[in-house]
Amino acid sequence: MEVHEVHQVSSEEIPSEIPKMTLEEFLESDLEGYEYIKGELVPMPPTSVEHGDISMNLVSPLNLYVRDNHLGRVYVPDTGFQVGERILIPDIAFISTDGIPDDKSKAFQVPPDLAVEVISPTDTILRVEEKVFAYLEAGTQLVWVIKQRSKTVNVYRSETDITLLTRNDTLSGEEVVEGFSCQVAELFE
């Protein structure tokens, strides 16, 4: 019987798959599929079919309304926004006409006016809440968190102004996307 020596591998010997970089380096990079949070690159895995259905059920009427009323632009995932010292990729975002930069070749250097997060099975409540409060702290006026399982939407205006909407309620753009509304139940059809 042969005896093999066991070699202990230190963490320094394991190459890091995801490099660490500064916010400026991340903004200049061509990396896609990551959010930048507190110096770390966080991979954004593909979402489920249900997640895609919910997102489309909101983005379609929202985009149509925004375009018809010349209010700004609606963005889907893969569009990055600088949110304080983070680069976040909301599932859906709205930015008013005044906030759209001339140089569209990089991530937005401002937070969206409205950010929408559709909870995925890979999301944790803590991670989503951290993003919500980062958006609000950076100046986002309205955050909608859509929960697939309970078929509800949490509407955040501030850390202390939070409303829970159920399937029987109407989701409103309030002053941010003035005049836009849809039934919460329609998001889950």
Side-chain angles (χ1 to χ4, degrees), residues 4-183:
H4 297 282
E5 186 176 323
V6 176
H7 174 67
Q8 291 282 1
V9 178
S10 74
S11 61
E12 293 155 11
E13 295 176 293
I14 300 172
S16 173
E17 292 181 31
I18 302 172
K20 292 194 182 243
M21 58 179 55
T22 66
L23 177 62
E24 292 75 25
E25 290 170 332
F26 182 75
L27 288 169
E28 293 298 320
S29 77
D30 60 357
L31 284 173
E32 293 182 3
Y34 292 92
E35 288 185 325
Y36 180 88
I37 300 173
K38 298 179 183 175
E40 301 286 328
L41 297 181
V42 178
M44 299 300 295
T47 60
S48 68
V49 172
E50 183 178 28
H51 184 283
D53 286 343
I54 292 168
S55 295
M56 284 306 298
N57 287 343
L58 177 58
V59 79
S60 293
L62 179 62
N63 187 50
L64 185 62
Y65 182 84
V66 166
R67 288 184 69 126
D68 286 351
N69 291 282
H70 309 285
L71 299 175
R73 299 282 298 189
V74 174
Y75 294 90
V76 294
D78 297 334
T79 306
F81 290 85
Q82 186 167 347
V83 178
E85 290 297 312
R86 305 168 189 239
I87 299 294
L88 298 180
I89 303 171
D91 291 309
I92 302 168
F94 163 76
I95 193 152
S96 67
T97 304
D98 296 340
I100 299 172
D102 294 331
D103 180 6
K104 297 179 183 178
S105 65
K106 299 190 182 337
F108 277 94
Q109 295 192 359
V110 295
D113 296 305
L114 164 68
V116 181
E117 294 289 340
V118 179
I119 302 284
S120 297
T122 57
D123 285 327
T124 66
I125 294 299
L126 178 62
R127 185 177 177 292
V128 172
E129 284 181 344
E130 283 179 356
K131 287 174 73 170
V132 166
F133 295 128
Y135 284 126
L136 294 170
E137 187 176 301
T140 298
Q141 300 167 54
L142 194 60
V143 181
W144 296 337
V145 176
I146 301 173
K147 299 178 181 177
Q148 299 173 39
R149 191 169 181 202
S150 61
K151 295 183 173 27
T152 59
V153 179
N154 282 359
V155 177
Y156 293 81
R157 294 169 205 86
S158 72
E159 289 184 18
T160 58
D161 188 357
I162 305 165
T163 304
L164 173 68
L165 302 178
T166 68
R167 288 173 274 190
N168 296 330
D169 294 319
T170 300
L171 182 61
S172 166
E174 301 177 12
E175 307 84 37
V176 180
V177 187
E178 196 167 345
F180 174 78
S181 67
C182 72
Q183 292 300 124

